[in-house]
Amino acid sequence: MAQMFPSQLPVEVVTDPRRRAEALFFNQCQQQLEADVVVVYGYRWLEPLDNRRATEGEADFTIIDPKRGILVLELKGGIIRRDAASGKYFSRELRGSREHEIKDPAFQAANSRRAIISKLEASKTWRTWRHRDNARTRSAFPATFGVVLPDCTAGGNLISGDITTDNLIDATHLDSLSQRLDSIFRILVGKNAC
């Protein structure tokens, strides 16, 4: 079982039907991933852009594997579609016809990845550890990002831009989550692992 932070989902998440997909993925991570893997749910970050303003965001799931690196995931529940002409993303409830526009999940995940790396690289502890090994100082940071669509099977025009078959977790991957993460880490982090 993976180490989960928080160890249990807050009651307001568990009881909110709109957050059912988050609870599902949380439970899958907890049950399927190895004991040395850390999964952080809902990591909120704030990153200064300049002296007057900052940008804030949240990484839905951050998976930290001590042997392979960090995977930052944005999760979108419901049936997701992308309008090819406008490039906009939409989500439809599982049991309904109401559809609403959502933010680009890959853009959100990439922003969260960048913010988390920035925080780590600013840490004195991280810099000390990183500089102890010359090979690590020359390699790229062992982190990547991905998208989780637990309620649908992705294909067609959903796979575009920053969402690829290499960084996507959809409904077909939930029962073999550990193997899917192995593939994502191997392809996207590869030789830059810790």
Side-chain angles (χ1 to χ4, degrees):
M1 287 184 115
Q3 301 171 58
M4 306 298 289
F5 291 93
S7 58
Q8 295 181 354
L9 285 174
V11 174
E12 60 270 15
V13 174
V14 175
T15 57
D16 186 346
R18 295 170 299 172
R19 298 177 83 178
R20 175 204 45 75
E22 294 174 27
L24 168 70
F25 191 72
F26 183 95
N27 291 331
Q28 293 288 5
C29 287
Q30 187 173 41
Q31 294 167 8
Q32 293 186 42
L33 302 183
E34 298 293 324
D36 63 342
V37 173
V38 175
V39 179
V40 179
Y41 168 75
Y43 175 74
R44 296 188 60 78
W45 52 265
L46 183 67
E47 182 177 59
L49 289 178
D50 57 36
N51 290 336
R52 287 188 247 174
R53 59 190 176 128
T55 183
E56 62 181 291
E58 178 182 25
D60 288 338
F61 289 89
T62 304
I63 298 176
I64 305 160
D65 185 309
K67 294 180 283 303
R68 300 181 296 184
I70 298 172
L71 174 60
V72 179
L73 297 168
E74 178 66 26
L75 183 141
K76 296 294 184 190
I79 306 303
I80 308 301
R81 78 171 179 88
R82 179 180 174 272
D83 180 69
S86 67
K88 293 181 179 180
Y89 287 84
F90 298 88
S91 176
R92 181 176 50 85
E93 298 168 349
L94 281 179
R95 293 183 181 90
S97 58
R98 199 184 90 175
E99 185 177 76
H100 62 278
E101 186 177 344
I102 59 174
K103 295 178 182 176
D104 178 338
F107 182 78
Q108 289 180 280
N111 276 348
S112 289
R113 176 195 169 275
R114 183 180 34 76
I116 290 169
I117 288 172
S118 177
K119 296 284 184 209
L120 282 172
E121 288 178 339
S123 159
K124 182 179 180 191
T125 304
W126 176 259
R127 287 193 312 271
T128 301
W129 176 81
R130 203 67 183 153
H131 290 290
R132 284 188 188 149
D133 182 343
N134 287 335
R136 274 196 212 102
T137 59
R138 290 190 300 271
S139 66
F141 194 94
T144 192
F145 68 91
V147 174
V148 182
L149 307 176
D151 296 328
C152 62
T153 323
N157 64 4
L158 258 181
I159 307 291
S160 68
D162 288 339
I163 299 178
T164 69
T165 55
D166 294 333
N167 72 352
L168 176 68
I169 300 169
D170 68 13
T172 64
H173 301 119
L174 292 183
D175 290 335
S176 57
L177 187 58
S178 185
Q179 291 89 335
R180 181 63 185 145
L181 293 179
D182 285 342
S183 175
I184 292 172
F185 275 115
R186 187 181 67 254
I187 294 168
L188 298 178
V189 177
K191 292 182 274 186
N192 295 331
C194 298

